[in-house]
Amino acid sequence: MSNPLLKLSKKSRLGIAIGISLCFFLVEVSVGFYSKSLALIADAFHVLFDLLSFSLALSALIISERESSKYPSLSFGWQRAQLLGSFFNGVFQLALGFSIFLLSIERFIAIEEIQNPKLVLIVACAGLGSNIVSGSLLGVHEHSHGANAGDLDLELLKKTWCSHEHAHTRDDITKHHHDLGTKAVLIHVLGDAFNNIGVIIAAAIIWKTHFKARFYADPAASMGIGLMLILTALKLVWQGGKILLQSAPLGVDVADVRFDLENVPGVVSVHELHVWRLNEDKACASAHIVIADASLEQFQGIAKIINECLHAYGIHSATIQPEVAASSYQSASDGNDSASLRRRIRGQTGCELHCGSDCEDKSCCG
């Protein structure tokens, strides 16, 4: 039986999630200030960060559907809009988490009586339901239905050139991405549910018990929410910061990639190899490839194999700069002594193409 949520577009699901989050933020923050419940106010601001995250995702989706010509100054950098927003979202969330944690400590010192704990309980229960609905909406993945007939034979490629044990197939990467996406949504929903359950328990204790210390349940719940905000914010900042610093994709070792590329027939050596993530989904690479044969036809064949090899690592956007081996090494290629040529060229660190001494200290090969 097909999932009815699949009939909704991603924009529609995000729009519904934004509407739900906005409504419950307004309700929770209003009731929180009315009842003087710090736990409910803390949960309301957690919902606010969910709202900001959903809004960023929707904005990035809308931008991605527009013509790239409308953003000429951004080139492909606009694809990092959601990532950049998530990074700053994490920074602000970290600050809020520490603020709530400190306010909770203050509440332990100067206790505040909670007004109408029954209303707080009702709102917290409704908030728990809204989190489950939002998680269900955003946890839906639209899976592809197999590769086209003209797709690259990546399994054959792995057996031939990309033979290193860490090379991945496209199916592995797609499955890994979907698994991570589902896991992330599940963890997010469980985290929100933990916050709501904490508020529910605190409100129930204050409502149903009569000992004076019952009001400590509210700052205890808010302290738990503050810690949750801090932990999730640290993860956002760490992961977003690594991608913004152009780290290699998860599970990809640049040394492995270099090893495979240098074993492509016709490649003498590889230098200035860079592999980085553009965002959470896309990876890029650039490399200088030294070849012995300067013919265009030969290089086109090598470039095709290199691109297929990079595809096996989940890298689908690459810039390859060909360099012909220096004439002083050409004699080594005579007599089928390609192994000797490889050893001699790989010992060199400079580029075969020079643009002048003035920019050597600023070049990637410098």
Side-chain angles (χ1 to χ4, degrees):
M1 184 180 294
S2 62
N3 191 333
L5 294 178
L6 285 174
K7 297 179 181 179
L8 295 173
S9 66
K10 190 173 181 180
K11 283 201 298 185
S12 298
R13 296 198 300 269
L14 281 170
I16 295 172
I18 288 171
I20 293 173
S21 298
L22 178 60
C23 290
F24 275 93
F25 166 72
L26 295 174
V27 171
E28 286 190 334
V29 76
S30 300
V31 175
F33 280 113
Y34 163 75
S35 62
K36 299 182 180 180
S37 171
L38 181 60
L40 194 59
I41 293 173
D43 187 61
F45 279 99
H46 196 177
V47 173
L48 175 62
F49 281 107
D50 290 344
L51 174 61
L52 292 175
S53 299
F54 300 155
S55 300
L56 286 169
L58 180 60
S59 299
L61 186 62
I62 292 173
I63 290 174
S64 65
E65 292 177 350
R66 296 183 179 180
E67 297 179 4
S68 58
S69 59
K70 294 182 179 180
Y71 305 94
S73 62
L74 294 177
S75 183
F76 58 75
W78 58 266
Q79 297 181 62
R80 286 187 161 188
Q82 183 177 351
L83 175 66
L84 187 64
S86 297
F87 177 78
F88 284 109
N89 185 8
V91 172
F92 291 129
Q93 183 174 322
L94 191 62
L96 178 65
F98 278 114
S99 299
I100 292 173
F101 186 83
L102 293 175
L103 286 173
S104 301
I105 296 175
E106 183 182 355
R107 281 286 183 96
F108 274 112
I109 298 172
I111 194 67
E112 188 85 36
E113 291 190 8
I114 305 302
Q115 307 295 325
N116 201 343
K118 182 179 179 180
L119 179 60
V120 174
L121 178 64
I122 293 172
V123 172
C125 290
L128 177 60
S130 73
N131 285 327
I132 294 173
V133 172
S134 297
S136 300
L137 284 168
L138 301 178
V140 176
H141 289 284
E142 299 171 358
H143 299 278
S144 59
H145 299 283
N148 296 325
D151 280 357
L152 304 171
D153 189 353
L154 297 180
E155 286 296 336
L156 176 61
L157 174 69
K158 283 178 65 180
K159 295 175 183 176
T160 310
W161 293 290
C162 293
S163 57
H164 201 279
E165 62 180 355
H166 294 293
H168 306 290
T169 65
R170 186 183 308 178
D171 290 340
D172 292 336
I173 295 163
T174 302
K175 181 179 182 297
H176 181 63
H177 172 69
H178 284 160
D179 289 345
L180 284 179
T182 304
K183 184 178 178 181
V185 171
L186 178 61
I187 291 174
H188 184 79
V189 172
L190 289 176
D192 288 345
F194 172 81
N195 293 339
N196 288 118
I197 291 172
V199 178
I200 290 170
I201 293 173
I205 291 173
I206 296 172
W207 179 29
K208 290 297 184 179
T209 60
H210 301 286
F211 57 95
K212 186 177 181 181
R214 69 185 185 278
F215 292 111
Y216 286 111
D218 184 72
S222 63
M223 183 174 287
I225 293 173
L227 288 173
M228 179 68 71
L229 285 169
I230 291 171
L231 292 176
T232 54
L234 286 173
K235 183 179 179 182
L236 276 175
V237 173
W238 173 253
Q239 293 182 342
K242 285 182 66 178
I243 298 176
L244 290 173
L245 290 174
Q246 299 187 335
S247 63
L250 297 176
V252 175
D253 190 328
V254 178
D256 297 340
V257 180
R258 183 191 302 277
F259 175 85
D260 288 336
L261 295 186
E262 289 188 337
N263 281 278
V264 171
V267 174
V268 175
S269 69
V270 176
H271 59 273
E272 288 306 318
L273 173 62
H274 303 288
V275 180
W276 70 95
R277 284 179 285 177
L278 181 62
N279 53 34
E280 292 176 306
D281 302 321
K282 297 182 181 181
C284 303
S286 65
H288 295 191
I289 309 296
V290 180
I291 56 177
D293 192 337
S295 67
L296 178 61
E297 182 179 357
Q298 177 74 7
F299 175 71
Q300 285 179 332
I302 293 174
K304 177 176 173 58
I305 297 171
I306 288 175
N307 279 323
E308 291 176 352
C309 189
L310 292 173
H311 286 339
Y313 282 96
I315 302 165
H316 305 293
S317 178
T319 302
I320 302 171
Q321 175 176 307
E323 297 179 7
V324 181
S327 58
S328 59
Y329 299 114
Q330 290 293 344
S331 59
S333 62
D334 298 334
N336 298 321
D337 192 9
S338 58
S340 175
L341 178 61
R342 287 174 186 267
R343 286 194 297 270
R344 294 175 68 183
I345 294 295
R346 288 173 187 173
Q348 307 299 311
T349 58
C351 289
E352 298 297 331
L353 300 177
H354 300 280
C355 58
S357 58
D358 293 340
C359 58
E360 283 184 355
D361 58 334
K362 299 178 182 177
S363 65
C364 57
C365 301

